[in-house]
Amino acid sequence: MKAMVVAGTASGATIQQRELGAPVRNAGQVLIGVRAASVNRADLAVRAGTHVSADATAGPTVVGLDCAGVVLDADADSGLATGDRVMTMAGGGLAEQVVVDARMPIRLPDSWSFEMGAAAVLALMTGHNALRTAGRLVPGESVLVNAARSGVGQATIRIANELGAGRVIAAVRSLRDEDFLTELGADIVVDTGSGGFAEAVLAATDGRGVDVIVDHVGGPYLADHVKAAALKGRIVGVGRLGGAEGTLDMETLAVKRLELVGVTFRTRDADEKAAIAAGVRADLIEALSEGRLDPRIDRVLPWTEVLGAQDVVASDAHLGKIVLRVSADA
């Protein structure tokens, strides 16, 4: 089978299409024929060698963290059958075929294309886990999502509404996409581009602060998040786009009885990942089937253009996901 793999060159790491042996399915796994995969910021780190997927195996590093496609083979008791259309987290998803734990795939809504599934699955799992499991969101509580225009940020806004959030605040570096974020379900959009934004968040919550903060930026926003959090608030660290280190006011942390919760898929075992997929199915299946969680796709490219697609993601020159269409003829 063909796959996109990381390759070293004199000028640095690149990605090349290579012929690899087809994956072998074992009991408890499902074999998927890949039709599309998305490009994520973590893919840039995989290419640079600073991010190793928990699903990584010996041999060439295959690019991709998710995919959507058709079930080719599965155990009879897996709940999946040949021909089922699915989306799934999958280390090495940018290949013609991939094998994953049979508990991971989520069925595609009938109205969804493979490209939509690839665009949505990782964001759905990340956002749901941040809000429901790590953030323990209770209906009526308020939510702050920073880097809200990102693919995961957009999904998190929508998921927060599906889980019954009382107020959803989107934080972005520019208000140019305010109307778009409001249409997604943000009640308030705050500008983080001019410096501290905690005061704006406090004003939007009548001084109370926010119950659950989903943080995609990291260190530079830590001080503002602590200020903006409500009593017994939960700050969930999903990403570190702005850096890993920040200033922590431990007195305020203690007085407010805040929780700082770090999350990543890299150190989760198979059971933990399967539980996240099950949570998406349990809480969001109706919203998925009714089109309330349809992902925004910026563009779809042939998978042979993976390097250019990663450059677009690196430059932040997109609104929505970049999706790569996998073709056996490419």
Side-chain angles (χ1 to χ4, degrees), residues 186-323:
D187 298 294
I188 299 167
V189 181
V190 299
D191 182 4
T192 64
S194 58
F197 58 91
E199 289 74 16
V201 174
L202 290 169
T205 56
D206 299 321
R208 181 182 179 277
V210 178
D211 297 297
V212 179
I213 296 173
V214 181
D215 174 24
H216 299 107
V217 176
Y221 285 5
L222 179 58
D224 272 304
H225 285 156
V226 170
K227 290 179 185 177
L231 182 68
K232 296 193 288 186
R234 288 82 73 196
I235 303 171
V236 183
V238 176
R240 290 150 297 280
L241 294 172
E245 297 183 0
T247 300
L248 175 61
D249 180 349
M250 295 190 68
E251 179 65 18
T252 303
L253 181 80
V255 169
K256 289 186 175 182
R257 289 180 283 161
L258 304 179
E259 297 179 40
L260 299 178
V261 186
V263 296
T264 180
F265 285 105
R266 283 175 286 173
T267 52
R268 288 189 170 108
D269 62 25
D271 291 340
E272 291 173 312
K273 291 178 182 178
I276 295 171
V280 170
R281 295 188 203 98
D283 287 344
L284 303 179
I285 189 65
E286 181 178 329
L288 287 168
S289 64
E290 294 180 358
R292 298 198 300 273
L293 292 173
D294 289 2
R296 180 185 178 105
I297 297 175
D298 184 273
R299 68 196 77 176
V300 177
L301 300 170
W303 68 326
T304 49
E305 296 184 24
V306 57
L307 285 171
Q310 289 194 0
D311 288 343
V312 173
V313 171
S315 66
D316 200 26
H318 62 297
L319 182 61
K321 294 290 291 211
I322 309 296
V323 177

